Amino acid sequence: MADVDQGSVLPSETSPLILDGLNSTDSNGTDAVNATVAKFVATPEGTALAYGSLVFMALLPIFFGALRSVNCGKSKNSSDMPETITGRDAARFPIIASCTLFGLYLFFKIFSQEYINLLLSMYFFVLGILALSHTMSPFMNRIFPANIPIKQYQLLFTQGSGETKEEIVNYEFDTKDMICLVISTVVGVWYILKKHWIANNLFGLAFALNGVELLHLNNVSTGCILLGGLFVYDVFWVFGTNVMVTVAKSFEAPIKLVFPQDLFQKGLGANQFAMLGLGDIVIPGIFIALLLRFDVSLKKNTRTYFYTSFLAYIFGLGMTIWVMHTFKHAQPALLYLVPACIGFPVVVALLKGELTEMFRYEEVSPEDAAAKEEATEAEKKDK
């Protein structure tokens, strides 16, 4: 997930459906409409396609990221190991996100937007290539021709020497990974040169999927703290100030999914976008992924809590769009997603008599698990 949680769902600024949103921009991100041109009016079909596509795209990284999160800790690569979020991390996150968001707001107010976005574009260019390559890797393993020889490579950085030597980076890859990297680089160059919405979405989906897969909540209580804190964060910065919307309109980086409302009129060159911030995907997504791993831990061969929370996400996002369409104002999606994603599974757990078991479920970081395993082996040797 990106540092700034652009949490509101926004359609085009010139659409009559809403007052706040993205500036009217062309595919290169430059101003496309001046005061003498009539405002764009989205057709019902274009609006329905845009919002439906955003919902569908949001569900993809949550579903597949959650599935991949179950097994991601088994990789030997340090870059594929999950990052565990504790209760303390969850409590601090809304404060850190608020400082980052307001800092970006001040930067855009003080410095030239063009140069800031140039630096951010290069930064996300590198991150996007790595994220997209990692996302593509499992699919490449399935379709890669068996008659092509596969060579193994290893990138290893260590610190110290002898018994004090410590691994900093240990990344193993092969020919298939190299092909993924080349394809991802092509997408990255396309994004840098054209800022096309399809390239933006490819990077955005990769960021979201990697976030859901690799960010692990250690328990349900931590998830409630994180979602609750960001619930307040999202509502305050969208309804209480213009900071969130200003940054969202100024920030040219693939940290949001976009879909044009004028696709039927202008085809792939469309420039009137509805958008959904990646924070509205990743934050509920890591909670949904946690519930899937809880389902797996029950060993009942069911996915009750995963499907319940997944349907709750669809309901919450649908509510966001409905309210936005009705009141014609940008909406903090977490305002609707958080109660749904927490409330639905809790009610199911109450009905099934598993609420205590749900809140007692605990995950440990790979480092702690390895330390515990070493301690157990040491005890066995002593005996």
Side-chain angles (χ1 to χ4, degrees), residues 82-295:
E83 182 73 23
T84 302
I85 300 174
T86 64
R88 179 177 295 181
D89 299 328
R92 291 185 299 189
F93 191 84
I95 300 173
I96 296 172
S98 294
C99 293
T100 303
L101 179 66
F102 191 65
L104 283 171
Y105 175 78
L106 293 178
F107 266 99
F108 281 118
K109 288 293 184 181
I110 298 172
F111 301 105
S112 170
Q113 178 177 326
E114 179 182 355
Y115 294 117
I116 295 174
N117 280 318
L118 178 61
L119 291 174
L120 291 172
S121 294
M122 297 307 298
Y123 174 70
F124 281 99
F125 168 75
V126 176
L127 289 184
I129 289 175
L130 296 176
L132 187 58
S133 179
H134 179 264
T135 301
M136 293 171 55
S137 182
F139 303 104
M140 183 61 68
N141 290 335
R142 295 181 180 181
I143 65 173
F144 195 79
N147 58 342
I148 297 179
I150 298 176
K151 295 183 178 180
Q152 300 291 329
Y153 305 92
Q154 183 178 23
L155 183 64
L156 179 63
F157 286 96
T158 61
Q159 178 178 312
S161 60
E163 295 182 356
T164 61
K165 182 181 290 187
E166 180 183 357
E167 288 187 1
I168 305 299
V169 176
N170 184 5
Y171 186 73
E172 298 177 0
F173 58 101
D174 55 27
T175 306
K176 294 176 287 188
D177 298 319
M178 292 290 289
I179 294 175
C180 291
L181 195 62
V182 170
I183 296 173
S184 301
T185 303
V186 172
V187 175
V189 172
W190 181 26
Y191 173 76
I192 286 291
L193 296 178
K194 297 295 185 181
K195 291 293 192 299
H196 198 278
W197 60 273
I198 294 179
N200 173 90
N201 287 347
L202 289 174
F203 274 173
L205 288 169
F207 284 138
L209 189 145
N210 278 272
V212 175
E213 176 187 358
L214 299 175
L215 291 175
H216 285 200
L217 297 164
N218 65 343
N219 55 50
V220 173
S221 296
T222 297
C224 293
I225 293 171
L226 180 65
L227 267 66
L230 290 176
F231 172 91
V232 176
Y233 158 89
D234 215 14
V235 171
F236 173 76
W237 288 112
V238 174
F239 286 150
T241 72
N242 69 336
V243 171
M244 180 80 78
V245 174
T246 300
V247 172
K249 293 193 291 185
S250 305
F251 203 88
E252 292 181 8
I255 60 169
K256 52 185 177 281
L257 300 180
V258 300
F259 200 90
Q261 299 184 77
D262 56 342
L263 184 66
F264 293 131
Q265 292 92 335
K266 298 183 179 179
L268 295 180
N271 55 25
Q272 303 289 337
F273 297 105
M275 83 174 196
L276 178 66
L278 295 190
D280 298 326
I281 301 172
V282 176
I283 297 303
I286 61 177
F287 187 74
I288 294 170
L290 172 67
L291 293 179
L292 173 60
R293 297 193 296 275
F294 171 62
D295 277 325

Side-chain angles (χ1 to χ4, degrees), residues 30-44:
T30 56
D31 292 341
V33 179
N34 58 42
T36 63
V37 180
K39 287 186 176 181
F40 166 76
V41 178
T43 63

